[in-house]
């Protein structure tokens, strides 16, 4: 039975780098995205990897789509090794100025997606008494900033959920890790007049997560904080 890694938001940025890393290491990947064309392109780009890449169209801000995706994952033959809750959305703004609905939109995408998908798959991890769950949080989970608004609220909530889940899963041998990247060069930064050198590469995040996954059963990285070498962006 082959090993499986589930990666949400797998067609761009950190998610795509993760799909490439795990597939390159011989682990079959199940990725989802809201865009069918992006999923088709991902599948083509990964066709030369030594592992299979399965794709599924889902908008994980919608609970029903989360549940449908979890059922699809269960239909794939293999041992679920890793769940990476990477799907996320950033809408800049200040709490007292941002458009009505910004909080709900980002909570649905950044928190509820991870909550519902984790609940949909957690019994597999518990039954195996192993595996690892990574939640892609942010430096915004620990450091509020102006123009972060409800994004910071959602990422604080995701870090809190991750910490609680870590405590719950200890007894079952399931590892839980919060990943807190600083500014990473992804589509979220399109149009920003800054050199690429001021950003973390998505591949750096993927390689760091792979290293955490590669540890022995006796060790877990609870929080992985990664910042640009020159520090946070002003």
């Amino acid at each position: 039975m082959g090993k499986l890694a589930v990666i949400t938001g797998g067609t761009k940025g950190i998610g795509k780098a993760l799909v490439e890393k795990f597939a390159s290491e011989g682990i079959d990947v199940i990725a989802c995205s809201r865009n069918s064309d992006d999923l088709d392109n991902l599948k083509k780009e990964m066709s030369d990897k030594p592992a299979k890449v399965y794709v599924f169209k889902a908008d994980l801000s919608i609970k029903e789509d989360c549940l449908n995706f979890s059922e699809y994952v269960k239909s794939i033959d293999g041992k679920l090794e890793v769940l990476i809750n990477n799907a996320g959305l950033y809408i800049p703004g200040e709490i007292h100025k941002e458009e009505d609905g910004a909080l709900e939109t980002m909570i649905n995408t950044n928190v509820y997606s991870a909550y519902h998908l984790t609940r949909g798959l957690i019994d597999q991890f518990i039954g195996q008494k192993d595996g690892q769950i990574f939640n892609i949080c942010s430096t915004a989970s620990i450091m509020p900033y102006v123009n972060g608004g409800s994004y910071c609220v959602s990422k604080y909530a995701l870090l809190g959920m991750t910490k609680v889940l870590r405590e719950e899963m200890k007894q079952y041998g399931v590892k839980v890790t919060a990943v807190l990247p600083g500014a990473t060069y992804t589509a979220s930064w399109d149009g920003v007049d800054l050199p690429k050198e001021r950003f973390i590469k998505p591949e750096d995040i993927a390689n760091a997560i792979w290293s955490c996954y590669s540890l022995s059963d006796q060790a877990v990285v609870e929080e992985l904080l990664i910042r640009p070498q020159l520090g946070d962006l002003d």
Side-chain angles (χ1 to χ4, degrees):
M1 182 183 293
K3 297 179 178 180
L4 296 174
V6 175
I7 300 171
T8 68
T11 58
K12 296 178 181 177
I14 293 172
K16 186 175 181 180
L18 284 162
V19 171
E20 184 163 11
K21 179 63 179 177
F22 276 81
S24 296
E25 295 290 347
I27 294 182
D28 292 343
V29 175
I30 309 172
C32 71
S33 169
R34 292 177 294 183
N35 188 293
S36 296
D37 291 338
D38 289 345
L39 289 168
D40 291 340
N41 290 334
L42 178 71
K43 200 167 175 62
K44 291 175 185 176
E45 289 180 41
M46 301 298 158
S47 61
D48 63 338
K49 303 303 177 188
K52 297 176 183 177
V53 174
Y54 302 88
V55 297
F56 188 88
K57 182 181 178 181
D59 181 349
L60 297 188
S61 68
I62 301 170
K63 181 179 179 179
E64 185 178 3
D65 277 20
C66 290
L67 300 181
N68 289 339
F69 182 49
S70 67
E71 290 304 311
Y72 175 72
V73 170
K74 293 173 186 176
S75 75
I76 302 298
D77 185 38
K79 179 178 180 289
L80 184 57
E81 285 277 315
V82 180
L83 167 61
I84 305 177
N85 287 306
N86 168 71
L89 175 67
Y90 170 60
I91 302 173
E94 299 176 61
I95 288 174
H96 71 293
K97 294 180 181 178
E98 62 192 8
E99 290 188 13
D100 185 47
L103 175 63
E104 291 86 346
T105 297
M106 284 186 278
I107 288 290
N108 285 340
T109 305
N110 299 344
V111 185
Y112 287 167
S113 64
Y115 176 83
H116 293 308
L117 186 57
T118 299
R119 281 168 53 87
L121 298 175
I122 199 67
D123 285 347
Q124 288 188 249
F125 288 109
I126 292 174
Q128 298 166 181
K129 294 192 180 301
D130 68 3
Q132 188 158 7
I133 299 168
F134 293 90
N135 288 336
I136 307 300
C137 300
S138 167
T139 51
S141 298
I142 57 173
M143 183 184 68
Y145 59 91
V146 175
N147 216 39
S150 288
Y151 178 75
C152 288
V153 175
S154 70
K155 288 298 185 177
Y156 265 79
L158 183 60
L159 178 58
M161 179 191 126
T162 307
K163 289 184 175 183
V164 173
L165 190 65
R166 158 68 178 145
E167 294 304 312
E168 293 177 356
M169 290 298 108
K170 282 180 181 178
Q171 62 179 312
Y172 300 110
V174 181
K175 300 181 182 182
V176 180
T177 299
V179 183
L180 291 77
T184 305
Y185 196 75
T186 66
S188 297
W189 293 96
D190 284 349
V192 174
D193 187 21
L194 287 170
K196 288 184 179 180
E197 292 75 19
R198 280 298 281 117
F199 296 87
I200 304 165
K201 295 179 180 180
E203 294 79 10
D204 289 329
I205 307 299
N207 288 333
I209 288 174
W210 177 263
S211 295
C212 293
Y213 164 71
S214 301
L215 296 177
S216 73
D217 292 342
Q218 287 75 33
V220 61
V221 175
E222 293 185 324
E223 293 184 16
L224 177 62
L225 175 61
I226 308 176
R227 282 192 165 100
Q229 169 61 18
L230 294 177
D232 292 319
L233 301 181
D234 296 327

